[in-house]
């Protein structure tokens, strides 16, 4: 079976071809890079409008030159797309592209929740049965665990997403977007600087830390030290709630999802915590952590295989699509 995936919830215009026989995932992506400031929804949508046709076209060219066996001549069985969550103007372009492609190829359409896809790519690549997932992405930060047919949100940010919080701090410094990799690089030369640590039960907050980090730089604390303190504080919070989620669910498998997962220090802290409690930890390779259509195609294939497709009239996008709204049809009901 071969599935085309299309992703464009915020900054990555991306298309992919996933072949279930070989488990090969080919991804074509074109990132939106703001000239200044952060992600501007209108500019991001303009980027999607020009880049989505190009990445989809490149993936269809790839499909045409590799063997496939479906009736459409390209060997494509279904088209999966990100229905949300994300920026409405971007999602609408992705939805339109996916509907048009599915109808042109006369194949079913699969509507994928982007955050569940961040989890499922980790589950798929690790071979874990029923992991807890820490999604540490730009616009989100939450822990997901499976129970009774849904991925439940065990804990989440009470304000901004983790990557967005870091990016707001770096915008204050005048650094270009995205800020996460720059903070990671500068933190290596810094000494830990104390910042507020905010965990309440299974939830956590970043806004106070960001204000304190901005104030520290403005007060003359070396930026490397603030970057080091920022990483240690935020990632310790995420590690604490991940450990509590493992403990509460009795699960001994943790997967990481989302673009902030590209940070080596976060992966190191999570791996160390899992090792200490005898749990297994898996972080997908970077191309599957940041926004990408590969994860959409892989989850799309699992959904298509059990008939979880969507009719065009019902395929409206949802900028606020929460992971626990998704009925998990593809796992079978023997897993808990
Ligand atoms: P979502 O999946 O919630 O829609 P998103 O669309 O913003 O998130 P992602 O690709 O998951 O996109 O994550 C992008 C975020 O990852 C940005 O905020 C960026 O600063 C952050 N990021 C990228 N690399 C690193 C890194 N090495 N360290 C920390 N953060 C990073």
């Amino acid at each position: 079976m071969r599935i085309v995936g299309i992703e464009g919830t915020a900054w990555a215009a991306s298309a992919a071809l996933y072949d279930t026989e070989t488990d090969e995932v080919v991804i074509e992506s074109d990132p939106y890079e703001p000239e200044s400031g952060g992600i501007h929804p209108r500019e991001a949508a303009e980027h999607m409008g020009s880049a989505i046709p190009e990445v989809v076209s490149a993936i269809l060219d790839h499909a045409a030159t590799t063997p496939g066996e479906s009736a459409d001549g390209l060997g494509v069985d279904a088209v999966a797309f990100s229905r949300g969550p994300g920026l409405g103007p971007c999602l609408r372009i992705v939805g339109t592209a996916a509907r048009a492609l599915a109808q042109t190829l006369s194949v079913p359409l699969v509507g994928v929740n982007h955050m569940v896809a961040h989890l499922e790519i980790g589950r798929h690549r690790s071979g874990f049965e029923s992991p807890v997932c820490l999604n540490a992405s730009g616009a989100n930060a939450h822990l997901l665990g499976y129970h009774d047919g849904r991925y439940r949100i065990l804990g989440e940010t009470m304000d901004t997403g983790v990557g967005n919080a870091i990016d707001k701090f770096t915008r204050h410094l005048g650094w270009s977007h995205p800020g996460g990799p720059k903070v990671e690089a500068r933190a290596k030369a810094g000494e830990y600087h104390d910042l507020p640590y905010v965990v309440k039960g299974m939830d956590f907050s970043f806004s106070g830390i960001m204000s304190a980090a901005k104030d520290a730089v403005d007060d003359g604390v070396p930026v490397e030290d603030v970057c080091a303190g920022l990483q240690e504080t935020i990632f310790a919070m995420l590690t604490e709630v991940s450990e509590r989620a493992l403990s509460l669910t009795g699960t001994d498998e943790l997967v990481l999802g989302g673009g902030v997962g590209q940070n080596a220090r976060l992966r190191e802290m999570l791996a160390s915590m899992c090792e200490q409690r005898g749990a297994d930890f898996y972080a997908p390779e970077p191309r599957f952590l940041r926004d990408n259509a590969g994860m959409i195609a892989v989850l799309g294939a699992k959904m298509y295989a059990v008939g979880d497709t969507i009719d065009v009239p019902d395929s409206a996008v949802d900028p606020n699509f929460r992971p626990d709204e998704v009925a998990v049809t593809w796992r079978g009901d023997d897993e808990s």
Side-chain angles (χ1 to χ4, degrees), residues 32-269:
Y32 155 62
E33 287 157 350
E35 280 178 20
S36 64
I39 293 178
H40 188 290
R42 182 179 45 76
E43 286 178 12
E46 283 168 6
H47 174 75
M48 290 301 158
S50 58
I52 287 286
E54 287 179 15
V55 294
V56 169
S57 173
I59 281 299
L60 294 182
D61 286 349
H62 173 75
T65 56
T66 51
E69 287 186 2
S70 295
D72 64 26
L74 287 175
V76 172
D77 295 275
V79 174
F81 73 107
S82 295
R83 282 187 79 191
L87 300 172
C90 297
L91 287 170
R92 283 190 280 280
I93 289 168
V94 171
T96 303
R99 283 177 215 111
L101 182 60
Q103 289 186 311
T104 303
L105 300 180
S106 299
V107 297
L109 191 60
V110 185
V112 171
N113 180 291
H114 173 93
M115 301 315 298
V116 175
H118 271 308
L119 178 157
E120 281 289 344
I121 192 68
R123 193 169 82 95
H124 177 78
R125 308 266 310 169
S126 63
F128 290 171
E129 280 196 14
S130 195
V132 161
C133 175
L134 170 63
N135 269 331
S137 62
N140 291 273
H142 57 227
L143 283 140
L144 298 178
Y146 183 79
H147 177 68
D148 197 18
R150 285 185 194 252
Y151 286 114
R152 314 286 168 174
I153 298 173
L154 306 171
E156 64 183 323
T157 175
M158 294 182 283
D159 37 54
T160 172
V162 56
N164 287 1
I166 296 171
D167 295 338
K168 278 182 191 156
F169 167 68
T170 55
R171 275 212 292 286
H172 181 74
L173 304 178
W175 296 357
S176 63
H177 183 87
K182 295 166 188 105
V183 168
E184 180 171 21
R186 298 294 279 271
K188 288 190 180 122
E191 299 281 330
Y192 174 77
H193 175 77
D194 203 20
L195 291 169
Y197 183 100
V198 188
V199 172
K200 292 183 191 269
M202 291 298 294
D203 296 327
F204 38 92
S205 157
F206 300 119
S207 58
I209 303 169
M210 288 310 131
S211 301
K214 290 178 198 168
D215 289 349
V217 172
D218 292 347
D219 290 345
V221 178
V223 72
E224 289 78 9
D225 293 359
V226 180
C227 289
L230 195 58
Q231 287 206 154
E232 292 304 303
T233 307
I234 288 180
F235 297 161
M237 288 162 49
L238 294 177
T239 304
E240 179 190 332
V241 287
S242 298
E243 176 162 32
R244 191 167 301 126
L246 290 173
S247 173
L248 286 174
T249 58
T251 307
D252 59 5
E253 299 168 335
L254 176 70
V255 296
L256 179 60
V260 179
Q262 295 169 104
N263 188 292
R265 181 63 184 140
L266 174 60
R267 292 201 304 271
E268 184 182 29
M269 288 167 80

